[in-house]
Amino acid sequence: MEKVLIIGNGFDLRHFLPTKYNHFICILREIESSNIVSDFNFENLFSNQFQRYDSFFYEKIKEFYTVDDLKFKKDDLNKIKTKLGQNLWYKHFKSIDDSHIETWIDFETEINRVLEDIVNLFDKLDNKIKNSNSSFNGIYYYDYRYNSEDHFDSSLTRILLTNLEIFLPSSDSGRFDLNDEYCFKIGNEVQIIHKNRILNNLYYSLQEFTGIFNDYFYSIVSKFYEKFREEKKDKFLKHHDINLLDSIDKIYSFNYTKTVEKLYSNKEIDYLHGQVIEDWNDLDDLKIVLGVDDLDQNLKKHKLFNFTKYFQKLHKQTDFQFLHDIGEISSHTFYFWGHSLDISDKEYIREVFDQLDQSKSKIFAPYIIDTKIIIFYHSISSKADLLNNLLSIIGKDEIEGLMKQKRLTFVQATEDNLFNVINN
């Protein structure tokens, strides 16, 4: 029997590492607003915005880690702060209400929404420029008391397009001017919109945001590993000196962190979306995949593939050959732990379920019947979310059939269950 573990962000959260999207944004806001003249301790960085947002998690971090002597280096924090002040995507994300983006899936959805709004803007501007009955001077209004057709579709669209500096606020109240960098004018009349320049700048800014993301995980999250409390390791990381993951043969990680290596032991891990690195001087050094799952036809028409995860995996040469070295002459147990099973990773999820199908599996027929999938869930509500996601990706008949055969099971991720199920 080969045991394959597939982990998502819930794995890191189970270890009370601050890896939620809103943890990330809270700490970035703290860094941006702080005067950093010396190294920060845990309280400096986490006791303000972070604690207000997630007091439960704040207390759990202190319960599981010795934070009193934890230090975050001044130079590292100022390096992040400098990048924040220049980044268009951060400017946008920090302005969006926390209830609008709560998870990394929401984060990806917001990137997609931004792209949709921009290409919709292109269509509107093209129509204005081609309209022979009137000229377009590049001015938009937000205050609808202005008797003008040149206005934003919504306040959210206005925020988006000004955050990304496609439009710039004027000294005139309610007026916004199309950024001169992105258009060609004769006199005051816009003749051409430099669409590629807009999209290229946005993609470059997203890559710079990936650098901020990398530095947050390396300079802040990774500092907790060495501080895990010894008294918390028993029954959490190990039982009777046996590490929880000792019997696992292979790990596929959708995370960017080194939690397995640092808290458990060295295992063979494929990082499907890349991993954080310590030092980098050029954006090409970063192999992190950060983007959307796919594009609709309208976005494909504008060739926005560089914003997709599959483009970035190919371009950055991350390990995109999922299950490429699966054993053919043994049955398998696939464990999903901390993965949302969301449609954004449907290709990976589908490939795992295919291993239980004799007509599609890479595993030889005699071993397929004993191959199974176990999904760990945090709570009853999270189990319902996971099942809903699976039904939308795999389908009712297949899910129901596998559950009746007990080849697909859901197990609550209690400490005892994790040890008993993984090490049975």
Side-chain angles (χ1 to χ4, degrees):
M1 169 71 74
E2 290 190 22
K3 297 182 177 183
V4 179
L5 177 62
I6 302 161
I7 58 175
N9 191 42
F11 180 84
D12 278 355
L13 294 176
R14 188 255 181 179
H15 297 83
F16 300 107
L17 293 166
T19 58
K20 284 179 65 176
Y21 167 79
N22 275 324
H23 294 163
F24 170 64
I25 288 295
C26 280
I27 296 301
L28 294 188
R29 287 171 176 159
E30 192 69 47
I31 292 171
E32 183 187 30
S33 63
S34 297
N35 182 26
I36 306 168
V37 295
S38 60
D39 293 348
F40 270 24
N41 59 31
F42 176 78
E43 293 299 323
N44 294 147
L45 201 54
F46 283 84
S47 65
N48 297 311
Q49 297 191 50
F50 185 96
Q51 184 182 13
R52 288 195 298 272
Y53 169 74
D54 197 341
S55 59
F56 170 80
F57 210 91
Y58 170 82
E59 294 298 335
K60 281 295 183 181
I61 292 176
K62 295 202 297 182
E63 179 183 340
F64 277 79
Y65 298 89
T66 55
V67 299
D68 293 343
D69 58 347
L70 193 60
K71 295 293 183 185
F72 305 102
K73 295 181 180 179
K74 173 190 68 174
D75 290 346
D76 291 341
L77 298 180
N78 276 319
K79 181 180 176 183
I80 293 173
K81 182 174 181 176
T82 298
K83 293 174 183 175
L84 292 178
Q86 303 166 350
N87 191 262
L88 299 177
W89 284 98
Y90 171 68
K91 182 180 178 182
H92 177 63
F93 288 129
K94 74 170 182 177
S95 74
I96 300 297
D97 186 79
D98 289 340
S99 63
H100 181 65
I101 307 179
E102 295 183 344
T103 69
W104 289 110
I105 300 298
D106 296 334
F107 168 82
E108 294 175 16
T109 300
E110 181 61 18
I111 294 176
N112 191 78
R113 190 186 72 81
V114 168
L115 297 178
E116 288 177 344
D117 273 8
I118 288 172
V119 298
N120 287 338
L121 173 71
F122 289 166
D123 291 339
K124 288 184 65 174
L125 296 183
D126 281 345
N127 288 333
K128 290 181 182 297
I129 293 170
K130 293 174 183 177
N131 187 348
S132 59
N133 295 323
S134 62
S135 62
F136 175 55
N137 57 10
I139 298 172
Y140 260 47
Y141 293 99
Y142 175 60
D143 191 331
Y144 290 91
R145 291 175 298 179
Y146 288 95
N147 185 20
S148 171
E149 295 181 358
D150 301 328
H151 56 69
F152 298 103
D153 293 336
S154 68
S155 58
L156 197 56
T157 300
R158 173 184 59 84
I159 291 170
L160 183 158
L161 295 175
T162 53
N163 282 342
L164 299 179
E165 297 182 4
I166 296 172
F167 280 87
L168 302 174
S170 169
S171 56
D172 295 344
S173 177
R175 171 178 157 175
F176 297 85
D177 298 327
L178 186 62
N179 190 334
D180 285 342
E181 180 185 354
Y182 296 139
C183 62
F184 169 70
K185 293 181 180 180
I186 296 178
N188 288 324
E189 187 174 343
V190 176
Q191 306 293 318
I192 298 172
I193 303 298
H194 298 306
K195 300 172 187 176
N196 285 340
R197 189 176 297 173
I198 293 173
L199 296 174
N200 289 340
N201 282 353
L202 286 179
Y203 177 67
Y204 184 77
S205 182
L206 184 61
Q207 294 309 294
E208 291 182 320
F209 188 81
T210 300
I212 295 169
F213 179 91
N214 178 92
D215 293 350
Y216 169 80
F217 278 86
Y218 183 81
S219 300
I220 296 171
V221 174
S222 68
K223 303 306 180 187
F224 288 93
Y225 293 132
E226 302 301 324
K227 305 298 181 181
F228 200 97
R229 294 183 184 272
E230 287 297 323
E231 66 271 19
K232 288 291 184 180
K233 291 183 178 180
D234 192 40
K235 293 188 177 181
F236 195 86
L237 303 180
K238 61 184 180 180
H239 271 188
H240 307 299
D241 294 324
I242 298 175
N243 285 326
L244 170 59
L245 304 183
D246 275 354
S247 67
I248 295 293
D249 298 295
K250 176 75 177 182
I251 298 175
Y252 291 95
S253 177
F254 286 85
N255 299 338
Y256 310 91
T257 57
K258 295 187 177 182
T259 305
V260 174
E261 298 99 311
K262 295 297 185 179
L263 296 185
Y264 294 94
S265 59
N266 290 326
K267 287 282 182 180
E268 184 182 358
I269 302 175
D270 278 7
Y271 290 92
L272 299 171
H273 291 162
Q275 59 179 308
V276 299
I277 59 176
E278 178 178 358
D279 294 314
W280 60 277
N281 297 312
D282 189 275
L283 289 173
D284 290 337
D285 296 334
L286 297 172
K287 303 303 180 185
I288 289 176
V289 172
L290 203 65
V292 301
D293 178 55
D294 206 351
L295 305 172
D296 65 21
Q297 288 304 315
N298 193 34
L299 296 182
K300 287 180 179 178
K301 181 179 69 175
H302 289 272
K303 299 181 181 180
L304 301 183
F305 299 104
N306 49 355
F307 290 92
T308 66
K309 289 189 241 182
Y310 56 83
F311 172 93
Q312 293 176 27
K313 283 185 287 185
L314 293 167
H315 182 61
K316 298 180 180 184
Q317 298 181 340
T318 63
D319 191 354
F320 52 87
Q321 296 182 7
F322 185 50
L323 301 185
H324 63 284
D325 57 354
I326 189 171
E328 298 175 338
I329 55 173
S330 64
S331 57
H332 287 65
T333 298
F334 296 95
Y335 304 92
F336 282 97
W337 182 3
H339 194 288
S340 66
L341 305 180
D342 189 82
I343 197 168
S344 62
D345 290 319
K346 63 181 182 296
E347 300 300 331
Y348 295 107
I349 297 165
R350 178 69 266 177
E351 191 167 350
V352 174
F353 276 80
D354 282 350
Q355 305 316 309
L356 279 64
D357 184 331
Q358 189 166 334
S359 66
K360 301 175 182 177
S361 181
K362 299 177 183 178
I363 303 167
F364 288 168
Y367 306 101
I368 293 176
I369 192 63
D370 294 322
T371 294
K372 58 188 177 180
I373 296 170
I374 296 174
I375 297 170
F376 293 116
Y377 65 89
H378 174 66
S379 63
I380 294 299
S381 62
S382 68
K383 178 186 176 183
D385 291 338
L386 293 170
L387 182 56
N388 269 324
N389 289 343
L390 278 184
L391 289 170
S392 70
I393 296 170
I394 306 301
K396 168 185 172 295
D397 292 342
E398 188 173 347
I399 293 299
E400 187 175 14
L402 290 172
M403 292 185 73
K404 285 180 178 177
Q405 298 167 27
K406 297 186 178 179
R407 299 176 68 203
L408 170 63
T409 56
F410 291 80
V411 177
Q412 189 164 14
T414 64
E415 292 173 6
D416 287 339
N417 284 348
L418 288 168
F419 274 92
N420 292 336
V421 172
I422 291 176
N423 295 289
N424 64 358

